[in-house]
Amino acid sequence: MDQFDPQPAPTGTDVVLEEKGLLSDLIRVALADEIATGRLKPGTPLDEQQIGQRFGASRTPVREALRQLATTGMVEVRPRRGVVVATMTAERIMDMFEMTAEMEAMCVRLATYRITPVERSRLQTMHESSAAMVQGGDLGAYDDFNRRFHEAIYHATHNQFMAEQAVGVRARLAAFRRTQLRHGDRLATSHAEHGAILAAMARGDGDEAARCMRAHMLNASCALTSYIQEMELE
């Protein structure tokens, strides 16, 4: 008879580390949104103490959040000047979306021919479940779903290197991809575009799936531009 081997109960240290991790994520997302929408301008210094006071956090989660933002290129660590918001021009962001569109188009084309029935069913179920998020206007839940949906397509290529590269590129644009969902009826439009991608995949038409994915990403880029312009006019 097999013996049940229970997992050890989390220690106080484990709980503290988890809480710091959650707090660093909260700080990272908040700052990333403010950078993506232009509320934090390029060159703005990011003082650890001030950020800690704002979020009620110690320096450890603040530093972790800033480290992650530096990895994505949203902030710069300058010798003797500390951390500042990186210069991210509209042209630079559009270039990043254009490159991402081609990367994702390549992924979905290959995934169309390699996806397994189980993976296809999982993608369809995810898509159908996201309809409730759209109807409820739940941007946070849809943003998380959107990440998982695209990453499922990356992994359906069954090319680990390609999937790793796509995830890395996506991370650079994560805040901007989240921000574009705030524009108009972008949630509903994004959902419809996912449906078109899945329909092309179901037909085994990799070229059409790639075309739909490319349009999906460029539409997101246009929505982001429109949203930022509206913010600047307020």
Side-chain angles (χ1 to χ4, degrees), residues 29-30 32 49 53 72 75 83 85-86 111 115 118-119 123 126 129 149 152 163 170 176 179 193 201-202 227 233:
V29 170
Q49 185 174 356
Q53 290 174 346
T72 63
V75 304
V83 181
V85 176
I115 193 169
V118 171
E119 289 170 333
L123 263 176
M126 290 171 64
S129 298
F149 179 85
R170 180 181 180 82
F176 299 102
T179 297
E193 290 166 359
M201 293 179 72
Y227 180 77
L233 293 174

Side-chain angles (χ1 to χ4, degrees), residues 28-50:
R28 174 182 54 79
V29 170
L31 294 178
D33 281 346
E34 291 172 7
I35 294 171
T37 56
R39 289 194 291 268
L40 281 175
K41 304 296 183 184
T44 301
L46 299 174
D47 183 78
E48 291 182 5
Q49 185 174 356
Q50 291 179 351

Side-chain angles (χ1 to χ4, degrees), residues 105-116 120 153 156-157 197-210:
M106 181 170 57
C107 284
V108 79
R109 181 187 293 109
L110 190 56
T112 297
Y113 305 125
R114 293 186 174 180
I115 193 169
T116 68
R120 188 189 306 281
I153 291 176
T157 64
I197 292 168
L198 290 179
M201 293 179 72
R203 295 193 301 271
D205 191 339
D207 289 338
E208 177 63 11

Side-chain angles (χ1 to χ4, degrees), residues 170-189:
R170 180 181 180 82
R172 295 289 299 272
L173 270 177
F176 299 102
R177 293 178 76 152
R178 179 169 57 253
T179 297
Q180 57 89 19
L181 294 172
R182 302 178 189 276
H183 180 256
D185 61 351
R186 183 59 196 157
L187 282 181
T189 304

Side-chain angles (χ1 to χ4, degrees), residues 45-118:
L46 299 174
D47 183 78
E48 291 182 5
Q49 185 174 356
Q50 291 179 351
I51 295 172
Q53 290 174 346
R54 173 184 170 186
F55 291 95
S58 66
R59 289 200 171 188
T60 299
V62 173
R63 286 175 177 171
E64 176 59 21
L66 294 176
R67 186 193 66 77
Q68 293 179 16
L69 289 173
T71 299
T72 63
M74 299 193 80
V75 304
E76 296 177 4
V77 180
R78 297 180 177 177
R80 297 182 297 280
R81 294 182 59 187
V83 181
V84 299
V85 176
T87 299
M88 191 74 72
T89 64
E91 290 76 16
R92 171 72 170 176
I93 296 170
M94 296 309 107
D95 286 349
M96 291 169 70
F97 264 100
E98 185 176 50
M99 186 272 178
T100 303
E102 294 303 318
M103 171 70 80
E104 301 231 359
M106 181 170 57
C107 284
V108 79
R109 181 187 293 109
L110 190 56
T112 297
Y113 305 125
R114 293 186 174 180
I115 193 169
T116 68
V118 171

Side-chain angles (χ1 to χ4, degrees), residues 123-139 141-142 145-146 148-149 187-192 194-195:
L123 263 176
Q124 187 63 40
T125 299
M126 290 171 64
H127 172 63
E128 293 170 358
S129 298
S130 71
M133 304 170 196
V134 175
Q135 293 170 359
D138 193 338
L139 186 145
Y142 190 87
F145 148 76
N146 195 39
R148 292 184 289 106
F149 179 85
L187 282 181
T189 304
S190 173
H191 182 265
H194 285 167

